[in-house]
């Protein structure tokens, strides 16, 4: 095993410097204001996803709506957990989570959707999950080793977004007419 790189006394002295910065030490290598901004954009994305999934949950109708609506509700709860984790990390980084409803949609990577067609709902949710996957993959790569804690948060979110996309893809494969463009309202 390699020697510990920093002298223990030096490490202790550094820890006492700028104590008001909490977890942000001289070892933090990322652009802190930009990381907070990116986290706030992801927070907006998650909040828009919560709202979209909730809308879809309450407005889903038709013979297949029960199973699909249950999936929407589960995803809404998980997206809310993502938003909570991001808000918590923003605060840890010394920032302020931006919950401003007036700018939420503009800051979000994903879009809100108010479709009434069950298949369109699933497709729009799948598109949003794919956007989150692409966005969070880019964020993970961008953070690299400069902010490993925030990177791990995004890695965890990414894994769940991939699971959501897989769930939605499976739903589309099981819904009659979903893959050949038929309107699901005609199905029941």
């Amino acid at each position: 095993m390699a020697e510990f790189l920093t002298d223990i006394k030096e490490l202790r002295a550094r820890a006492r410097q700028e104590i008001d910065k909490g977890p942000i030490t001289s070892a933090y290598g990322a652009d802190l204001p930009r990381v907070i901004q990116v986290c706030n954009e992801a927070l907006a994305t998650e909040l828009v996803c919560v709202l979209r999934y909730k809308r879809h949950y309450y407005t889903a109708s038709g013979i297949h709506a029960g199973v699909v609506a249950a999936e929407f509700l589960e995803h809404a709860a998980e997206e809310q957990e993502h938003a909570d984790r991001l808000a918590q990390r923003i605060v840890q980084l010394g920032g302020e989570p931006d919950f401003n409803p007036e700018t939420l949609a503009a800051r979000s990577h994903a879009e809100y959707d108010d479709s009434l067609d069950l298949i369109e709902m699933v497709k729009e949710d799948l598109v949003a999950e794919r956007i989150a996957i692409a966005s969070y993959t880019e964020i993970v790569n961008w953070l690299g080793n400069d902010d490993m804690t925030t990177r791990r948060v995004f890695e965890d979110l990414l894994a769940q977004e991939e699971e959501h996309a897989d769930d939605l893809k499976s739903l589309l494969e099981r819904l009659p007419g979903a893959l050949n463009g038929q309107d699901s309202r005609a199905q029941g």
Side-chain angles (χ1 to χ4, degrees):
M1 178 181 267
E3 286 292 317
F4 198 63
L5 301 177
T6 305
D7 174 71
I8 297 297
K9 288 181 184 177
E10 176 65 22
L11 190 63
R12 290 176 184 160
R14 285 186 199 166
R16 293 184 186 286
Q17 295 171 352
E18 301 178 308
I19 198 165
D20 59 315
K21 291 186 177 179
I24 306 303
T25 67
S26 61
Y28 186 85
D31 177 352
L32 185 58
R34 181 68 176 127
V35 170
I36 292 169
Q37 179 187 1
V38 166
C39 286
N40 264 314
E41 289 171 3
L43 174 61
T45 301
E46 295 297 334
L47 292 171
V48 167
C49 288
V50 170
L51 295 172
R52 189 187 58 255
Y53 274 123
K54 284 287 199 164
R55 161 74 184 199
H56 290 173
Y57 168 72
Y58 286 110
T59 60
S61 63
I63 194 166
H64 301 287
V67 172
V68 176
E71 196 70 36
F72 291 159
L73 186 60
E74 179 182 325
H75 288 195
E78 291 169 349
E79 301 293 0
Q80 182 63 58
E81 290 172 12
H82 296 178
D84 293 341
R85 287 190 67 192
L86 287 163
Q88 180 181 30
R89 183 61 182 158
I90 291 165
V91 171
Q92 286 174 341
L93 292 171
E96 296 180 15
D98 188 348
F99 288 92
N100 185 341
E102 290 182 15
T103 61
L104 198 61
R107 290 179 287 117
S108 172
H109 297 178
E111 296 174 309
Y112 182 77
D113 175 70
D114 58 5
S115 297
L116 292 175
D117 176 72
L118 191 62
I119 291 171
E120 286 307 309
M121 290 178 187
V122 176
K123 285 180 178 178
E124 287 301 314
D125 288 334
L126 179 53
V127 166
E129 295 296 350
R130 290 175 49 81
I131 289 168
I133 291 165
S135 175
Y136 295 174
T137 298
E138 185 175 332
I139 293 167
V140 165
N141 291 329
W142 173 69
L143 288 168
N145 290 328
D146 292 336
D147 182 340
M148 293 178 281
T149 302
T150 304
R151 185 190 74 210
R152 278 195 306 276
V153 168
F154 277 100
E155 287 172 342
D156 290 347
L157 301 184
L158 176 60
Q160 199 155 43
E161 302 297 4
E162 288 177 351
E163 182 182 315
H164 290 173
D166 188 54
D167 292 344
L168 294 166
K169 178 182 172 281
S170 293
L171 280 175
L172 277 178
E173 291 169 350
R174 294 191 325 250
L175 287 171
L179 298 178
N180 64 11
Q182 292 178 7
D183 186 330
S184 62
R185 288 177 289 197
Q187 302 294 320

